[in-house]
């Protein structure tokens, strides 16, 4: 199956955008009953993260912790001023592998998939590939 | 091949549980000679990590470093009190891709695969999928 | 296709070595037009990271941030003195999944693939597998 692009519009500088249902829809439409779903973010100041989507305070705590780990004020050398976003994206990662069974994503009870935006607001793309 | 579930019982709040041999067994039984093995943790306060399994002080240093990076005392908003575990799991990640050759896992000399428990003790599941 | 080993010689203690073109060459030679490329680092003090390769100050800022997060001076228990390298490798991760389309890697405009060296200088291996 071809790669499917999911478009995400972020509305703040930093946010975890829940894309679980959109990835799930790609999996269901792929016709793959058992396999692996690769989620890839082709950006350098955003990443992909799997964690709790049920209670939104978890996402808020993850973002705040990353802010404490990677302060807005450097010293940083990159002249564009968004080094913290590059560093956070490196910590979170650009890809996640998810499993597919029974034609659907296999996720834990509380798990959701998030585009992790660190340099928004922006138009972002998430690439999804499902393979048997 | 169907997804295989490896059950792991953790006995402390935080630990790196070596699951290398159990993942290796899944790979060997899969009959796949060359391919990719996806290890997925369907929990939001645990992750999967590949690092040195030979000397256990490495795992101890990794856990202690994560404790310094993500302190037990917040401020955190999530009312369940386990935000540090969610944050550590996000840093470590929910999935790892491993390679298979000659019907066996391809690991570096010192590498082992760990379930990274951050909110134990608990019963945990690790999902393993091997594909040619 | 068999796993291809890319040899990388690092020349400093810590560096992000751009391996994008070498991974791309493996993908092109694989004959796979659409699929997934798994990049795996079989070391415990190095990892693989995808981020901006265009402006080298980004890599410098990522390395400096990791130095601040994981100080050279512990306390660490591992007697070999390279615990910071193990911890940084655990944060960055040992594997990345990349997508393949039209017989080539799908990368964002600014993205490059890096071997993240944290305990060099050394001879390192990066394993690349491309599957339809």
């Amino acid at each position: 199956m071809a790669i499917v692009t999911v478009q995400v519009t972020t509305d703040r500088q930093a946010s975890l955008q829940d894309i679980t249902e959109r990835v799930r829809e790609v999996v269901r439409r792929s016709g793959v009953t058992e396999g692996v779903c690769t989620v890839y973010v082709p950006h350098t100041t955003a990443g992909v993260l799997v964690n709790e989507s049920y209670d939104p305070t978890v996402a808020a705590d993850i973002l705040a912790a990353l802010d404490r780990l990677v302060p807005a004020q450097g010293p940083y050398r990159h002249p564009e001023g968004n080094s913290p976003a590059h560093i956070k994206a490196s910590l979170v990662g650009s890809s996640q592998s998810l499993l597919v069974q029974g034609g659907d994503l296999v996720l834990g009870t509380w798990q959701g998939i998030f585009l992790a935006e660190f340099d928004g607001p922006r138009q972002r793309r998430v690439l999804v590939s499902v393979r048997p």
Side-chain angles (χ1 to χ4, degrees), chain A:
Chain A
M1 195 199 69
I3 296 167
V4 174
T5 301
V6 171
Q7 304 276 354
V8 181
T9 306
T10 63
D11 60 0
R12 271 167 293 171
Q13 205 241 334
S15 60
L16 296 188
Q17 298 265 163
D18 192 338
I19 56 171
T20 313
E21 287 315 308
R22 299 181 66 187
V23 176
R24 193 187 293 279
E25 196 187 325
V26 175
V27 170
R28 287 182 178 158
R29 288 187 182 179
S30 72
V32 172
T33 47
E34 216 165 83
V36 174
C37 170
T38 305
V39 179
Y40 186 81
V41 172
H43 304 286
T44 57
T45 53
V48 55
L49 185 151
V50 176
N51 209 276
E52 179 172 335
S53 58
Y54 182 76
D55 180 345
T57 61
V58 172
D61 284 343
I62 292 170
L63 289 172
L66 286 167
D67 274 342
R68 286 191 291 265
L69 291 173
V70 188
Q73 307 303 326
Y76 298 114
R77 291 179 51 195
H78 185 51
E80 289 186 32
N82 59 356
S83 285
H86 287 285
I87 296 160
K88 290 172 185 175
S90 300
L91 291 174
V92 160
S94 311
S95 63
Q96 288 284 342
S97 299
L98 300 153
L99 301 181
V100 175
Q101 197 165 45
D104 204 352
L105 276 177
V106 179
L107 288 172
T109 314
W110 311 106
Q111 280 185 323
I113 309 162
F114 296 95
L115 170 85
E117 171 67 84
F118 298 120
D119 194 27
R122 291 214 202 184
Q123 274 285 120
R124 298 294 198 175
R125 290 182 302 131
V126 178
L127 309 182
V128 182
S129 166
V130 192
R131 314 199 86 75

